[in-house]
Coordinates of all heavy atoms in Angstrom, one line a residue:
R27 N 46.3 -24.4 -35.7 CA 45.0 -23.9 -35.2 C 44.0 -25.1 -35.1 O 44.1 -26.1 -35.8 CB 44.4 -22.8 -36.1 CG 45.2 -21.5 -36.0 CD 45.0 -21.0 -34.6 NE 45.6 -19.6 -34.5 CZ 45.3 -18.8 -33.6 NH1 44.4 -19.1 -32.7 NH2 45.8 -17.7 -33.5
H28 N 43.0 -24.9 -34.3 CA 41.9 -25.9 -34.1 C 41.3 -26.1 -35.5 O 41.0 -25.1 -36.2 CB 40.9 -25.3 -33.1 CG 39.8 -26.2 -32.8 ND1 39.0 -26.8 -33.7 CD2 39.4 -26.7 -31.6 CE1 38.1 -27.6 -33.1 NE2 38.3 -27.5 -31.8
P29 N 41.2 -27.3 -35.9 CA 40.8 -27.6 -37.4 C 39.3 -27.2 -37.6 O 38.9 -26.9 -38.8 CB 40.9 -29.1 -37.5 CG 41.0 -29.6 -36.2 CD 41.5 -28.5 -35.3
M30 N 38.5 -27.0 -36.5 CA 37.1 -26.6 -36.8 C 36.8 -25.3 -36.2 O 35.6 -24.9 -36.3 CB 36.2 -27.7 -36.2 CG 36.4 -29.1 -36.9 SD 36.0 -30.6 -36.1 CE 34.2 -30.6 -35.9
A31 N 37.7 -24.7 -35.5 CA 37.5 -23.3 -35.0 C 38.8 -22.5 -35.2 O 39.6 -22.4 -34.2 CB 37.1 -23.5 -33.5
P32 N 39.0 -22.0 -36.3 CA 40.3 -21.2 -36.6 C 40.6 -20.0 -35.7 O 41.7 -19.6 -35.6 CB 40.2 -20.8 -38.0 CG 38.8 -20.9 -38.4 CD 38.1 -21.9 -37.5
T33 N 39.6 -19.5 -35.0 CA 39.8 -18.4 -34.1 C 39.9 -18.9 -32.7 O 39.8 -18.1 -31.7 CB 38.7 -17.4 -34.2 OG1 37.5 -17.9 -34.0 CG2 38.8 -16.7 -35.6
W34 N 40.0 -20.2 -32.4 CA 40.2 -20.7 -31.0 C 41.5 -20.3 -30.6 O 42.5 -20.2 -31.3 CB 40.1 -22.3 -31.1 CG 40.1 -22.9 -29.8 CD1 41.2 -23.4 -29.0 CD2 39.0 -23.0 -28.8 NE1 40.8 -23.9 -27.8 CE2 39.5 -23.6 -27.7 CE3 37.7 -22.6 -28.9 CZ2 38.7 -23.8 -26.5 CZ3 36.9 -22.8 -27.7 CH2 37.4 -23.4 -26.6
P35 N 41.7 -19.9 -29.3 CA 43.0 -19.5 -28.8 C 44.1 -20.5 -29.1 O 43.9 -21.7 -29.0 CB 42.7 -19.4 -27.2 CG 41.2 -19.1 -27.1 CD 40.6 -19.9 -28.2
A36 N 45.3 -20.0 -29.4 CA 46.3 -20.9 -29.9 C 46.9 -21.7 -28.8 O 47.2 -22.9 -29.0 CB 47.5 -20.0 -30.5
V37 N 46.9 -21.2 -27.5 CA 47.4 -22.0 -26.4 C 46.5 -21.8 -25.2 O 45.9 -20.8 -24.9 CB 48.8 -21.4 -26.0 CG1 49.4 -22.2 -24.8 CG2 49.8 -21.5 -27.1
M38 N 46.2 -23.0 -24.6 CA 45.3 -23.0 -23.5 C 46.1 -23.4 -22.2 O 47.0 -24.3 -22.3 CB 44.2 -24.1 -23.7 CG 43.3 -23.8 -24.9 SD 42.4 -22.2 -24.8 CE 41.3 -22.7 -23.4
L39 N 45.7 -22.8 -21.1 CA 46.3 -23.2 -19.8 C 45.3 -24.1 -19.1 O 44.1 -23.7 -18.9 CB 46.6 -22.0 -18.9 CG 47.2 -22.3 -17.6 CD1 48.6 -22.9 -17.7 CD2 47.3 -21.0 -16.7
T40 N 45.7 -25.3 -18.8 CA 44.9 -26.2 -18.1 C 45.3 -26.6 -16.7 O 46.5 -26.9 -16.5 CB 44.8 -27.6 -18.9 OG1 44.5 -27.3 -20.3 CG2 43.8 -28.6 -18.4
T41 N 44.5 -26.4 -15.7 CA 44.8 -26.7 -14.3 C 43.8 -27.7 -13.8 O 42.6 -27.6 -14.0 CB 44.7 -25.4 -13.5 OG1 45.4 -24.3 -14.1 CG2 45.1 -25.6 -12.1
V42 N 44.3 -28.8 -13.2 CA 43.5 -29.9 -12.8 C 43.9 -30.2 -11.3 O 44.7 -31.2 -11.1 CB 43.6 -31.1 -13.7 CG1 42.7 -32.2 -13.3 CG2 43.5 -30.8 -15.1
P43 N 43.3 -29.5 -10.4 CA 43.6 -29.9 -9.0 C 42.7 -31.1 -8.6 O 41.6 -31.3 -9.0 CB 43.2 -28.7 -8.2 CG 42.2 -27.9 -9.0 CD 42.6 -28.3 -10.4
L44 N 43.3 -31.9 -7.7 CA 42.6 -33.1 -7.1 C 42.4 -32.8 -5.6 O 43.4 -32.6 -5.0 CB 43.4 -34.4 -7.3 CG 43.8 -34.7 -8.8 CD1 44.7 -35.9 -8.9 CD2 42.6 -34.9 -9.7
T45 N 41.2 -32.9 -5.2 CA 40.9 -32.6 -3.7 C 40.3 -33.9 -3.1 O 39.2 -34.3 -3.6 CB 39.9 -31.4 -3.7 OG1 40.5 -30.4 -4.4 CG2 39.8 -31.0 -2.2
A46 N 40.9 -34.4 -2.1 CA 40.3 -35.5 -1.3 C 39.0 -35.1 -0.6 O 39.0 -34.1 0.0 CB 41.3 -36.1 -0.3
E47 N 38.0 -35.8 -0.8 CA 36.7 -35.5 -0.1 C 36.2 -36.7 0.7 O 35.1 -36.7 1.2 CB 35.6 -35.3 -1.2 CG 35.9 -34.0 -2.0 CD 34.8 -33.4 -2.7 OE1 33.8 -34.2 -3.0 OE2 34.7 -32.2 -3.0
G48 N 37.1 -37.6 1.0 CA 36.7 -38.7 1.8 C 37.6 -39.9 1.4 O 38.5 -39.8 0.5
P49 N 37.5 -41.0 2.1 CA 38.5 -42.1 1.8 C 38.3 -42.7 0.4 O 39.3 -43.3 -0.1 CB 38.1 -43.2 2.9 CG 36.7 -42.8 3.4 CD 36.6 -41.3 3.2
D50 N 37.1 -42.6 -0.2 CA 36.9 -43.2 -1.5 C 36.4 -42.1 -2.5 O 35.8 -42.5 -3.6 CB 35.9 -44.3 -1.4 CG 36.4 -45.5 -0.6 OD1 37.6 -45.8 -0.6 OD2 35.5 -46.1 0.2
R51 N 36.6 -40.9 -2.3 CA 36.1 -39.8 -3.1 C 37.2 -38.7 -3.3 O 37.8 -38.3 -2.4 CB 34.9 -39.2 -2.5 CG 33.7 -40.2 -2.5 CD 32.4 -39.6 -2.2 NE 31.9 -38.6 -3.2 CZ 31.3 -39.0 -4.4 NH1 31.0 -40.3 -4.6 NH2 30.9 -38.1 -5.2
T52 N 37.3 -38.4 -4.6 CA 38.3 -37.3 -5.0 C 37.5 -36.4 -5.9 O 36.9 -36.8 -6.9 CB 39.5 -37.9 -5.6 OG1 40.2 -38.8 -4.8 CG2 40.5 -36.7 -6.0
R53 N 37.6 -35.1 -5.6 CA 37.0 -34.1 -6.5 C 38.1 -33.7 -7.5 O 39.2 -33.3 -7.2 CB 36.5 -32.9 -5.8 CG 36.0 -31.8 -6.7 CD 35.4 -30.6 -6.0 NE 34.4 -31.0 -5.1 CZ 33.0 -31.0 -5.4 NH1 32.7 -30.7 -6.6 NH2 32.2 -31.4 -4.5
V54 N 37.7 -33.8 -8.9 CA 38.6 -33.3 -9.9 C 37.9 -32.1 -10.5 O 36.8 -32.1 -10.9 CB 38.7 -34.4 -11.0 CG1 39.6 -33.9 -12.1 CG2 39.2 -35.7 -10.4
T55 N 38.7 -31.0 -10.5 CA 38.2 -29.7 -11.1 C 39.1 -29.4 -12.3 O 40.4 -29.3 -12.1 CB 38.3 -28.6 -10.0 OG1 37.6 -29.0 -8.8 CG2 37.7 -27.3 -10.5
V56 N 38.5 -29.1 -13.4 CA 39.3 -28.7 -14.6 C 39.0 -27.2 -14.9 O 37.9 -26.8 -15.0 CB 38.9 -29.5 -15.8 CG1 39.6 -29.1 -17.0 CG2 39.1 -31.0 -15.5
T57 N 40.1 -26.4 -14.9 CA 40.0 -25.0 -15.3 C 40.8 -24.8 -16.6 O 42.0 -25.3 -16.7 CB 40.6 -24.1 -14.2 OG1 39.9 -24.4 -12.9 CG2 40.4 -22.7 -14.6
W58 N 40.1 -24.3 -17.5 CA 40.7 -24.1 -18.9 C 40.6 -22.6 -19.2 O 39.5 -22.1 -19.2 CB 39.9 -25.0 -19.8 CG 40.7 -25.7 -20.9 CD1 42.0 -26.1 -20.9 CD2 40.1 -26.1 -22.1 NE1 42.3 -26.7 -22.1 CE2 41.1 -26.8 -22.8 CE3 38.9 -26.1 -22.7 CZ2 41.0 -27.4 -24.1 CZ3 38.7 -26.6 -23.9 CH2 39.7 -27.3 -24.6
E59 N 41.7 -22.0 -19.6 CA 41.7 -20.6 -20.0 C 42.7 -20.4 -21.1 O 43.7 -21.0 -21.1 CB 41.8 -19.8 -18.8 CG 43.1 -20.0 -18.1 CD 43.2 -19.2 -16.8 OE1 42.8 -18.1 -16.7 OE2 43.7 -19.8 -15.8
P60 N 42.4 -19.4 -21.9 CA 43.4 -18.9 -22.9 C 44.7 -18.5 -22.2 O 44.7 -17.9 -21.1 CB 42.8 -17.8 -23.6 CG 41.3 -17.9 -23.4 CD 41.2 -18.5 -22.1
H61 N 45.9 -18.9 -22.9 CA 47.1 -18.5 -22.3 C 48.0 -17.7 -23.2 O 48.0 -18.1 -24.4 CB 47.9 -19.8 -21.9 CG 49.2 -19.6 -21.3 ND1 49.3 -19.2 -20.0 CD2 50.4 -19.9 -21.7 CE1 50.6 -19.1 -19.7 NE2 51.3 -19.6 -20.7
G62 N 48.6 -16.7 -22.8 CA 49.4 -15.8 -23.6 C 48.6 -14.8 -24.4 O 47.4 -14.7 -24.0
P63 N 49.1 -14.2 -25.3 CA 48.4 -13.2 -26.1 C 47.2 -13.8 -26.7 O 47.2 -14.8 -27.4 CB 49.4 -12.7 -27.2 CG 50.7 -13.1 -26.7 CD 50.5 -14.3 -25.8

Side-chain angles (χ1 to χ4, degrees):
R27 288 295 185 161
H28 187 302
M30 294 158 67
T33 56
W34 187 259
V37 181
M38 301 295 295
L39 179 66
T40 305
T41 306
V42 186
L44 305 174
T45 307
E47 292 198 340
D50 297 324
R51 295 193 62 84
T52 302
R53 178 179 299 271
V54 179
T55 306
V56 177
T57 304
W58 218 24
E59 59 189 319
H61 183 68

